[in-house]
């Protein structure tokens, strides 16, 4: 194979070794070559991985945090396959501390929403193959990742990200608020560092399930009353929770919410994941699942390190993609009815808490036409941000943070 090519091309081979490679407890015979340029290659049963002591592009392929019996790792972006293609788990893009690691270090894990039914081993929906460890539920309740900053004795703000995103999108908003408020941002089930249960294995990602889950999370976090800030397509879910728990919600602030009839049609980059079988395949591509939806819906130019935070769930577990598929399918079938229910709730005289809408006018997913009229019907304050897109907090986090602070203060003196 590669050894023959080296000899054929007269490339000096300094050292040749045969060793036992381990992959999830399976012993395999490997060939290791060290070349005169100090590069080395390791061959298993499928393909080769190159490492080098020289600076350059090959240093981007670094060991992942996967641990088996021999404490070995694998390279997330290397051509060697682990398992069946869906059961990979625990990968890390770099050995060095990245932004995802720094963000995770700021957060905590809380258990909320009980796992119903038997704790069976989850299988992928395409071929029925056993999923990896990150796709399995090891306890009787799901784990949620959240970041909490500010003094708990001060008024609380709950920041809720949209689809497909993470609490990380609020990283620039939190510092703007935490000096004066107690601020909490979390990853929904299926996103970021929270659990990603497979559909039919304890959670099916419907709006009703998410609304119940939000209530259980709020209880687990010990939030008695708070300002609820919600962005994008998770607005109907949060409103369903708010309607049933109005006493706990001091006010609502909605960021680019789907509230018009024309908003019921999913944008193409989300609708693609709802396609039978093909959507499951698309959702296994980190660029299709994270980069494309985040960048096509507004004037975004994600920093590569920030983009890697959003890609990471899809690089480290196939469960992330299957969860996104389930979310998109549920959203597609429920969105029209959810928007209708949201409109009725917000325009009803029975809802008595303040409502504000922040709208990024460069939203390429949701049309602004008719939003001003809706805001008047709902007696909602409307703030328009000319240079902001759908994921407003990702695009201009500091600006959104300042607007939120102003809206919250205005509502508190009314």
């Amino acid at each position: 194979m590669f050894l023959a090519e080296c000899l054929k091309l007269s490339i000096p081979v300094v050292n040749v070794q045969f060793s036992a490679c381990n992959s999830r407890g399976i012993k395999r015979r490997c060939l290791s070559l060290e070349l005169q340029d100090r590069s080395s290659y390791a061959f298993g049963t499928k393909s080769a991985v190159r490492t080098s002591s020289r600076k350059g592009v090959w240093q981007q392929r670094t060991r992942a945090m996967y641990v088996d019996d021999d404490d070995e790792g694998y390279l997330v972006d290397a051509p060697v396959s682990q398992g069946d293609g869906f059961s990979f788990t625990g990968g890390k893009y770099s050995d060095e501390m990245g932004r995802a690691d720094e963000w995770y270090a700021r957060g905590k894990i809380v258990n909320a929403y009980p796992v119903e039914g038997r704790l069976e081993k989850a299988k992928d929906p395409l071929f029925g193959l056993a999923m990896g460890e990150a796709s399995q539920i090891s306890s009787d309740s799901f784990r949620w990742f959240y970041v909490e900053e500010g003094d708990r004795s001060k008024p609380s703000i709950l920041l809720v990200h949209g689809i497909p995103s993470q609490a990380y999108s609020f990283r620039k908003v939190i510092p703007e608020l935490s000096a004066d408020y107690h601020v909490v941002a979390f990853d929904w089930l299926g996103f970021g560092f929270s659990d990603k249960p497979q559909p039919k294995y304890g959670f099916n990602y419907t709006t009703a399930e998410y609304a119940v889950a939000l209530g259980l999370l709020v209880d687990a976090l010990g939030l008695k009353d708070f300002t609820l800030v919600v962005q994008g397509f998770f607005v109907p879910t949060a409103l369903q929770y708010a309607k049933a728990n109005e006493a706990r919600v001091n006010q609502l602030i909605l960021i680019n919410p789907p509230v018009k009839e024309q908003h019921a049609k999913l944008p193409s980059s989300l609708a693609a994941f709802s396609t039978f079988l093909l959507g499951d395949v698309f959702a296994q591509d980190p660029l299709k699942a994270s980069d494309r939806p985040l960048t096509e819906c507004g004037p975004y130019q994600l920093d590569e390190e920030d983009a890697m935070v959003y890609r990471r769930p899809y690089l480290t577990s196939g469960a992330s993609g299957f969860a996104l598929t389930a979310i998109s399918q549920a959203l597609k079938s429920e969105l029209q009815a959810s928007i209708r229910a949201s409109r009725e709730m917000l325009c009803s005289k029975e809802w008595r808490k303040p409502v504000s809408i922040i709208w990024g006018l460069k939203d390429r997913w949701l049309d602004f036409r008719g939003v001003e009229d809706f805001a008047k019907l709902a007696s909602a304050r409307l703030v328009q941000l000319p240079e902001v897109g759908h994921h407003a907090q990702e695009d201009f986090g500091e600006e959104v943070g300042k607007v939120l602070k102003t809206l919250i203060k205005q509502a508190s003196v009314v």
Side-chain angles (χ1 to χ4, degrees):
M1 200 173 60
F2 185 75
L3 175 59
E5 291 298 318
C6 288
L7 296 175
K8 182 178 178 181
L9 297 174
S10 299
I11 299 175
V13 177
V14 177
N15 189 24
V16 179
Q17 290 184 340
F18 287 93
S19 60
C21 295
N22 183 287
S23 176
R24 296 183 62 82
I26 300 174
K27 297 291 183 180
R28 293 186 290 188
R29 192 167 173 78
C30 294
L31 168 65
S32 298
L33 305 179
E34 184 179 349
L35 307 185
Q36 196 172 61
D37 69 350
R38 299 185 67 189
S39 297
S40 62
Y41 284 81
F43 294 90
T45 58
K46 290 191 177 182
S47 55
V49 178
R50 178 179 177 179
T51 60
S52 175
S53 61
R54 297 178 299 173
K55 293 182 178 179
V57 65
W58 293 107
Q59 282 191 328
Q60 296 298 319
R61 291 184 173 181
T62 51
R63 188 169 298 280
M65 298 302 290
Y66 184 91
V67 179
D68 58 19
D69 293 338
D70 289 341
D71 195 28
E72 292 186 354
Y74 70 93
L75 306 180
V76 168
D77 56 347
V80 64
S81 174
Q82 291 285 337
D84 55 36
F86 294 128
S87 60
F88 53 94
T89 177
K92 185 184 176 195
Y93 187 65
S94 172
D95 277 336
E96 298 180 1
M97 283 287 288
R99 293 180 187 175
D101 304 285
E102 294 167 357
W103 178 250
Y104 185 78
R106 288 173 62 179
K108 305 174 186 177
I109 298 293
V110 64
N111 284 32
Y113 197 92
V115 179
E116 297 181 0
R118 293 175 296 172
L119 292 176
E120 300 176 357
K121 289 290 185 181
K123 300 177 181 180
D124 80 84
L126 285 177
F127 308 111
L129 299 171
M131 297 289 292
E133 294 175 11
S135 305
Q136 309 299 339
I137 302 303
S138 58
S139 64
D140 58 0
S141 58
F142 295 121
R143 296 164 298 175
W144 301 64
F145 173 80
Y146 70 102
V147 170
E148 179 179 27
E149 297 188 6
D151 189 340
R152 265 190 167 263
S153 66
K154 295 180 178 179
S156 295
I157 303 171
L158 186 62
L159 302 174
V160 183
H161 70 78
I163 300 175
S165 188
Q166 302 176 30
Y168 182 74
S169 63
F170 288 106
R171 65 194 178 280
K172 295 179 182 178
V173 174
I174 293 173
E176 295 289 336
L177 301 173
S178 57
D180 301 312
Y181 300 96
H182 167 235
V183 186
V184 178
F186 67 90
D187 289 338
W188 284 106
L189 294 178
F191 295 96
F193 290 108
S194 290
D195 273 346
K196 303 164 186 69
Q198 294 307 288
K200 301 180 182 178
Y201 291 89
F203 197 75
N204 291 315
Y205 299 97
T206 65
T207 301
E209 284 177 306
Y210 265 130
V212 172
L214 179 58
L216 294 173
L217 175 65
V218 167
D219 290 341
L221 294 174
L223 300 178
K224 292 182 170 47
D225 56 272
F226 51 91
T227 293
L228 183 56
V229 179
V230 198
Q231 184 263 324
F233 286 104
F234 267 124
V235 165
T237 297
L239 291 183
Q240 187 169 321
Y241 163 81
K243 183 178 181 180
N245 299 272
E246 185 174 354
R248 303 181 81 164
V249 178
N250 294 329
Q251 64 172 304
L252 286 170
I253 301 180
L254 315 178
I255 304 175
N256 285 62
V259 291
K260 299 293 297 179
E261 291 181 3
Q262 64 265 30
H263 296 163
K265 183 178 180 180
L266 281 183
S268 59
S269 57
L270 287 184
F273 302 125
S274 66
T275 306
F276 179 65
L277 290 182
L278 195 58
D280 291 307
V281 176
F282 288 157
Q284 296 302 316
D285 183 337
L287 299 183
K288 281 187 172 70
S290 61
D291 290 42
R292 185 180 177 189
L294 284 170
T295 56
E296 78 158 17
C297 60
Y300 305 116
Q301 293 184 352
L302 276 176
D303 179 277
E304 179 65 15
E305 291 187 59
D306 288 330
M308 277 307 305
V309 179
Y310 290 106
R311 293 173 197 156
R312 182 168 175 170
Y314 302 96
L315 285 167
T316 57
S317 174
S320 302
F322 293 127
L324 180 59
T325 299
I327 293 165
S328 300
Q329 290 173 343
L331 193 63
K332 185 176 182 179
S333 64
E334 299 174 349
L335 189 55
Q336 187 172 15
S338 295
I339 289 176
R340 188 181 306 115
S342 297
R343 289 175 57 86
E344 291 175 357
M345 170 195 157
L346 293 174
C347 295
S348 170
K349 293 181 179 179
E350 295 180 3
W351 179 259
R352 296 177 293 275
K353 300 296 180 69
V355 179
S356 301
I357 297 175
I358 299 175
W359 197 278
L361 294 176
K362 290 193 175 180
D363 189 333
R364 297 171 186 165
W365 277 1
L366 301 180
D367 195 339
F368 181 65
R369 288 177 296 178
V371 172
E372 288 179 292
D373 293 334
F374 170 77
K376 292 177 182 177
L377 287 173
S379 299
R381 290 169 293 177
L382 176 63
V383 178
Q384 301 175 43
L385 301 180
E387 300 302 318
V388 177
H390 182 74
H391 291 283
Q393 70 273 20
E394 176 62 50
D395 202 15
F396 288 97
E398 295 92 343
E399 183 179 358
V400 170
K402 289 181 172 63
V403 171
L404 286 173
K405 185 184 292 187
T406 299
L407 290 172
I408 293 170
K409 287 181 177 179
Q410 287 176 350
S412 64
V413 298
V414 173

